[in-house]
Amino acid sequence: MLSEERYQKITERVGRNGSATVNELANECGVSIETIRRDLVFLEAHGRLKRVFGGAVAHRAAPRFEEYPVRELANREQKIAVGNVIASLVYEGDVIALDSGTTAMETVAALKARFRKLTVLTYSLKVFESLKDTFDVILTGGEYYPKEGALYGELAVESIARLHTDKCFIFPSAVSVRYGVEDFVPCFVPVQRQLMQYSDHVFIAADSSKFGGRALIRVCDLDPRYVYVTDGGVSKEIAKEFAEKNCNLITGE
C-alpha cells in the first residue's frame, strides 16, 4: 500500500470512529507499528488528526459553511458528475422536485442538455430562473433568503403539501452512515423534509467531499428507502459502509 493510500485510510478510520490505536491501524494497513507512527507524525503535521499516547484522535473543528460564490467554484467537476448521474435517473415527462444549492445548478445544466419536457418544483429562485424558459416550473411561495437565492417558511412548506412529484433530489452539505443527512441552513430543512415527504422516490445527492462529513442540523437519518448519488471520488470504505446498511449508492465519473 502506497503512503498516500495509507494516509487516506488512516484519516478516514480516525474520522469515522473518533480515534484509533497504532495496533489497529497497523493491522488494517498491513504495515509495521513503526510505519504507522511515522504516518501519524506526518498527518498531525498536516492538520489531519491529533496524536495521543498509543494512537490518534480526530480533530473536532466546527463544521464550516462557505458563502455561495465560494461553494460555486469548489469541487465543480465532481458536482457536474453528480448532475449527470441525476439526469440519467430522470425520464422525459417526469415531475421532479429540486433542492437549492450549487449542486442543484449543475444538475439544472445536465437536465437542460438532455430533456425537452419536465415539470420541476423548486424553492430556489436560481433554479427557477435557469429553467423557467425550458420546462414547466413551479416555484413555492415563502420568505426570501438572499444569500442562497431561495425561499423558505410556512408558505413554502404549505405549497409543497398541495403537490406530488415522481422524484425529488435533495442536495445536503453532509452525508454519513453515522450522522445521516445534514445541512447548514436551518430554515431550509423543513422545506427539504416536505419535498421528501410528498415525492414517490427520494434521491440524496452530493459530491464525494461531503460524504463522511458533518454539518449543522440533521435533515434525516440514513434510510435504505432512499437512493444516494455521488461522483466516483467516494472512498471504498464509505461505499462499503453504505452497502452494509443496505443503502443504494450510485456513483459517476
Side-chain angles (χ1 to χ4, degrees):
M1 183 182 291
L2 298 175
S3 58
E4 274 302 325
E5 292 177 314
R6 289 200 312 275
Y7 298 157
Q8 182 69 22
K9 197 175 189 70
I10 291 167
T11 303
E12 288 177 354
R13 169 68 185 270
V14 172
R16 182 170 64 248
N17 297 333
S19 64
T21 68
V22 170
N23 286 333
E24 290 171 342
L25 295 171
N27 289 334
E28 188 166 334
C29 295
V31 295
S32 68
I33 288 175
E34 289 72 21
T35 298
I36 291 297
R37 285 176 176 155
R38 288 195 296 270
D39 289 346
L40 295 182
V41 170
F42 175 88
L43 291 169
E44 183 179 49
H46 287 77
R48 294 168 66 175
L49 49 73
K50 179 176 175 59
R51 286 187 300 150
V52 295
F53 181 77
V57 297
H59 280 303
R60 294 302 182 191
R64 182 175 178 176
F65 186 55
E66 300 287 0
E67 294 292 329
Y68 191 98
V70 176
R71 302 194 330 266
E72 203 168 17
L73 299 175
N75 302 310
R76 187 155 184 263
E77 289 185 6
Q78 292 90 334
K79 292 172 184 176
I80 290 171
V82 171
N84 287 331
V85 174
I86 290 173
S88 73
L89 299 169
V90 174
Y91 298 101
E92 195 76 50
D94 270 353
V95 179
I96 67 172
L98 288 182
D99 197 1
S100 67
T102 55
T103 306
M105 296 308 297
E106 299 300 344
T107 299
V108 162
L111 294 175
K112 289 172 73 174
R114 187 173 298 202
F115 298 102
R116 297 182 61 186
K117 182 175 177 57
L118 294 174
T119 300
V120 181
L121 168 64
T122 188
Y123 66 99
S124 166
L125 280 175
K126 294 178 183 292
V127 170
F128 173 79
E129 286 294 334
S130 182
L131 291 181
K132 64 183 175 64
D133 297 323
T134 307
F135 305 131
D136 295 329
V137 187
I138 303 168
L139 180 66
T140 70
E143 300 173 63
Y144 181 53
Y145 192 90
K147 286 186 177 181
E148 294 296 310
L151 302 166
Y152 69 97
E154 188 175 343
L155 286 175
V157 170
E158 286 183 356
S159 64
I160 294 168
R162 295 169 179 260
L163 302 165
H164 167 259
T165 58
D166 301 318
K167 301 162 185 172
C168 84
F169 298 92
I170 302 299
F171 304 106
S173 299
V175 186
S176 70
V177 167
R178 184 174 182 181
Y179 300 107
V181 179
E182 297 182 323
D183 217 326
F184 276 106
V185 187
C187 65
F188 289 166
V189 172
V191 187
Q192 292 168 317
R193 289 172 179 166
Q194 193 81 332
L195 290 175
M196 295 163 69
Q197 182 177 346
Y198 288 91
S199 186
D200 290 339
H201 304 284
V202 174
F203 297 82
I204 308 295
D207 70 78
S208 56
S209 72
K210 297 181 175 67
F211 275 72
R214 294 298 314 273
L216 179 64
I217 184 169
R218 180 172 293 190
V219 178
C220 63
D221 293 329
L222 208 71
D223 193 322
R225 295 174 299 173
Y226 305 153
V227 176
Y228 301 85
V229 179
T230 188
D231 58 84
V234 71
S235 71
K236 293 179 180 178
E237 287 78 10
I238 289 177
K240 181 181 177 182
E241 288 178 350
F242 273 73
E244 290 172 347
K245 292 293 184 180
N246 294 316
C247 291
N248 185 11
L249 179 66
I250 300 176
T251 62
E253 296 302 326

